[in-house]
Amino acid sequence: MSLAILAPGMLTTVQDAGRHDVRALGVGVGGAVDAYSYTVANRLVGNPATAAALEITWTGPTLRLRRAARIALCGADIDARANGIALPGWRSIDLPADCTLTLGPCRRGARAYLAIDGGIDVPPVLGSRSTDLRGGFGGYEGRPLRAGDTLALAPTRLPKPVRRIAIAPWWIDHEPDLFFTDSIAVRVLSGHAATAPIDALLSAEFAVSAASNRQGLRLHGPPLRLADPRQHLSEPVVPGTIQLPPDGQPIVLLADAQTVGGYARIGHAIAADLPRLAQRRTGQRVRFILVDAAHAARADAAQRARLGKAALAIGAAHLAAERGLPSFPQASGPHHRQ
Amino acid sequence: MPGDTVPAAPAIERLGDGALLLRFGDHIDATVNRRVHACAQALRACAPPWLLDLTPAYASLAVHVDVACIDRDDPLSVVQRWLEDRLAMAACAGAATSTAVFEIPVLYGGDGGPDLASVAARAGIETDAAIALHSAAAYTVAMLGFAPGFPYLLGLDPRLHTARHATPRARIAAGSVGIGGAQTGIYPAAGPGGWQIIGRTPLRLFDATRQPPALLAPGQCVRFVAIDADTFTARDEHTR
């Protein structure tokens, strides 16, 4: 049972939750850049939070699903059709076998996640199914998908056969974890104190440069100057690290962050705000707000709690649907169509 | 180690909200680097439940924490106290490093080493002398980083220290041996890079499907051995 790629879109890769224990080899974490949307998509189709899904950048692929499937599209608001029928995001959708899924441009946001029940069955490499584009391994042959590729799907566990396209009447609300507005605020922790022009970072507004990618969000604004411009010894960096190269234009590292870097670290975006950074489009703006460690920890815990509640609510709604009971709105989602 | 002074415990700072950075020094130094790897080894052996991963670098070590398994307002402060208690006792003094020397064959110069002549000219020596200097030294793998399996090597002769290119090359071949300032290293995969490329090894530095994936490990002792084009072809692992 498989997924055929008819057209690849701009940059479509297989991603999961990443590699978390091989940094000593120089291998970064990788995985979904917007881990929040990726996780919700998996939960909507009944997958474990770490199943492999497709990460779609800017413009989506055209696919044929050979088997019946429960799918979900989260993250960027993407133009999506199954056999011509428009599909909304953040919902569980059941498709009969041999549907053609046509994904167009992302209308808001930069990256959409397509999860399919069972998950994409590529062999794990170094403990993960995510594509490491720099290392050229993992995912599907270590590279972005191309027309003509066929990806295996793990067996479905859908309770009954799917005869027609069925869209759940409820959805997951992505606020406050994601905002697609033109300008967003991102919470930061201070970096290495000796070199950090953190005041300048906080007082300016930055535009997202077109040179951004999975490794980093390159920002453009008034050049920041380091208090101490000496070359730095390469030290560990993490997704969220804000680096300042000599040109004074900051780079916020994302999922494909290298393991070590020599540029000054002027701050760190908090983990809970990485999803909204991942969804920034070229030209959109970012401001930074300084927070303390306790705030960051609370924000992270709150995001995890929302993901946990969403998973429970989704499970309950699916169970209700299987038993023919009406699903109803709950305080923590899923949200019901009004 | 001179005398019997116990090295000071590393300074601890935060690396965002999911990691702590232990800094053992602020310059490239073999003794400091040994402490980094000894500390990493000791932490791995302890395997505290919150330990996600470790990134050993030249003079610092990142400790990546699974904050979800610490139910506190500020999980990293719990880990910091844990580390301070243990580091004060052990201070990660010595490291049992292997004394075996791993030999890396290199075809110096030619198409695979376009910067050899300029590196030699800057040092005021013949290219043969530059090759002799580069292959005479015993190097230590200080860390793997930048790209999967990329070894940063300590021990480059000061005469060969050469600044990086102002504009990085768009593509460097897999196996390229380069010089970046006081460091020498090997590019495991083809890609862009700014180091001075003086030669190429036929060995494959990183293969995710191999066990272990990286040819070299931190702390390992390495020497370069000059080979000719025929030997390179015979041993070429990049085209396989």
Side-chain angles (χ1 to χ4, degrees):
Chain A
M1 286 302 165
S2 64
L3 175 66
I5 311 298
L6 308 183
M10 199 188 91
L11 174 68
T12 304
T13 55
V14 176
Q15 298 295 344
D16 65 7
R19 300 177 173 83
H20 290 271
D21 57 356
V22 280
R23 274 180 268 222
L25 301 178
V27 177
V29 175
V33 184
D34 171 358
Y36 173 83
S37 300
Y38 154 80
T39 306
V40 174
N42 265 331
R43 292 308 195 191
L44 280 166
V45 300
N47 281 349
T50 56
L54 293 187
E55 180 178 276
I56 294 154
T57 317
W58 290 101
T59 307
T62 302
L63 318 157
R64 183 160 298 133
L65 272 156
R66 301 277 183 213
R67 67 154 161 86
R70 176 165 287 170
I71 68 156
L73 285 156
C74 294
D77 174 21
I78 190 168
D79 187 73
R81 271 153 218 289
N83 294 348
I85 294 170
L87 305 179
W90 302 93
R91 294 187 199 229
S92 161
I93 299 164
D94 289 351
L95 300 177
D98 288 316
C99 261
T100 300
L101 208 54
T102 312
L103 302 174
C106 292
R107 291 177 292 229
R108 294 189 312 162
R111 294 178 171 91
Y113 292 86
L114 171 65
I116 301 167
D117 73 292
I120 292 163
D121 192 14
V122 292
V125 178
L126 297 176
S128 158
R129 293 183 169 82
S130 59
T131 312
D132 186 312
L133 291 174
R134 202 167 6 166
F137 60 85
Y140 186 80
E141 297 181 355
R143 59 164 173 82
L145 299 183
R146 296 179 196 146
D149 289 345
T150 301
L151 281 67
L153 296 174
T156 182
R157 286 175 300 161
L158 282 181
K160 49 189 176 191
V162 182
R163 305 201 194 286
R164 67 183 75 82
I165 296 173
I167 301 170
W170 46 266
W171 66 94
I172 298 298
D173 186 358
H174 56 69
E175 286 186 15
D177 295 291
L178 281 184
F179 291 100
F180 296 105
T181 46
D182 198 41
S183 179
I184 59 162
V186 167
R187 292 164 287 183
V188 295
L189 296 159
S190 59
H192 185 10
T195 57
I198 192 87
D199 293 342
L201 182 75
L202 300 173
S203 57
E205 190 174 49
F206 298 89
V208 173
S209 144
S212 302
N213 55 25
R214 283 181 42 89
Q215 187 180 10
L217 201 66
R218 290 172 174 268
L219 300 177
H220 186 79
L224 307 181
R225 239 172 251 118
L226 286 175
D228 173 7
R230 277 180 306 175
Q231 282 262 343
H232 293 266
L233 194 56
S234 287
E235 287 193 336
V237 292
V238 291
T241 297
I242 305 174
Q243 290 189 319
L244 192 63
D247 67 2
Q249 302 294 340
I251 302 169
V252 190
L253 295 178
L254 299 177
D256 270 357
Q258 65 278 27
T259 53
V260 294
Y263 294 141
R265 299 186 307 263
I266 60 170
H268 297 273
I270 69 169
D273 285 355
L274 290 180
R276 56 182 81 166
L277 282 165
Q279 294 296 351
R280 292 285 83 190
R281 298 166 70 102
T282 304
Q284 285 192 319
R285 296 189 304 277
V286 176
R287 284 171 293 117
F288 294 101
I289 302 169
L290 190 65
V291 295
D292 63 14
H295 179 103
R298 279 197 301 274
D300 189 42
Q303 187 171 70
R304 265 183 280 118
R306 282 191 293 276
L307 283 170
K309 283 179 185 171
L312 283 174
I314 290 164
H318 282 155
L319 201 61
E322 278 161 32
R323 293 180 181 178
L325 302 168
S327 60
F328 51 88
Q330 298 175 24
S332 57
H335 294 256
H336 199 272
R337 179 152 46 197
Q338 298 300 305
Chain B
M1 194 163 292
D4 54 359
T5 52
V6 176
I12 301 180
E13 69 177 65
R14 288 176 186 229
L15 197 62
D17 50 3
L20 292 170
L21 186 71
L22 278 51
R23 189 177 283 114
F24 295 79
D26 56 6
H27 59 286
I28 297 179
D29 177 284
T31 310
V32 170
N33 187 249
R34 270 199 298 278
R35 290 183 62 206
V36 169
H37 294 297
C39 188
Q41 224 170 49
L43 285 173
R44 263 190 224 291
C46 291
W50 42 258
L51 182 64
L52 264 185
D53 202 2
L54 295 162
T55 312
Y58 277 120
S60 57
L61 173 69
V63 178
H64 303 273
V65 177
D66 182 1
V67 292
C69 73
I70 304 170
D71 187 21
R72 294 291 170 81
D73 273 358
D74 185 3
L76 286 184
S77 65
V78 176
V79 174
Q80 181 161 352
R81 275 196 300 279
W82 188 95
L83 285 169
E84 281 163 354
D85 287 351
R86 275 152 191 82
L87 294 171
M89 283 188 292
C92 302
T97 46
S98 156
T99 49
V101 178
F102 190 92
E103 293 194 341
I104 295 178
V106 180
L107 174 61
Y108 285 101
D111 289 347
D115 299 321
L116 177 66
S118 61
V119 167
R122 221 161 295 157
I125 54 176
E126 299 292 321
T127 54
D128 283 353
I131 294 171
L133 279 180
H134 192 259
S135 53
Y139 300 94
T140 307
V141 180
M143 62 171 166
L144 303 179
F146 168 70
F150 184 106
Y152 286 85
L153 302 175
L154 290 178
L156 184 66
D157 189 290
R159 282 167 284 184
L160 295 180
H161 292 189
T162 315
R164 295 166 178 81
H165 288 288
T167 307
R169 281 196 175 88
R171 191 180 161 85
I172 287 175
S176 292
V177 177
I179 291 174
Q183 314 161 93
T184 188
I186 309 161
Y187 287 84
W195 287 25
Q196 306 280 347
I197 304 304
I198 60 169
R200 197 172 170 224
T201 178
L203 301 187
R204 202 155 167 201
L205 271 285
F206 189 84
D207 177 351
T209 60
R210 185 172 65 189
Q211 197 50 250
L215 185 67
L216 302 174
Q220 199 163 17
C221 191
V222 167
R223 201 182 285 276
F224 293 106
V225 179
I227 55 166
D228 58 25
D230 290 341
T231 312
F232 186 98
T233 310
R235 299 191 62 180
D236 193 357
E237 296 176 358
H238 302 298
T239 51
R240 272 171 220 169

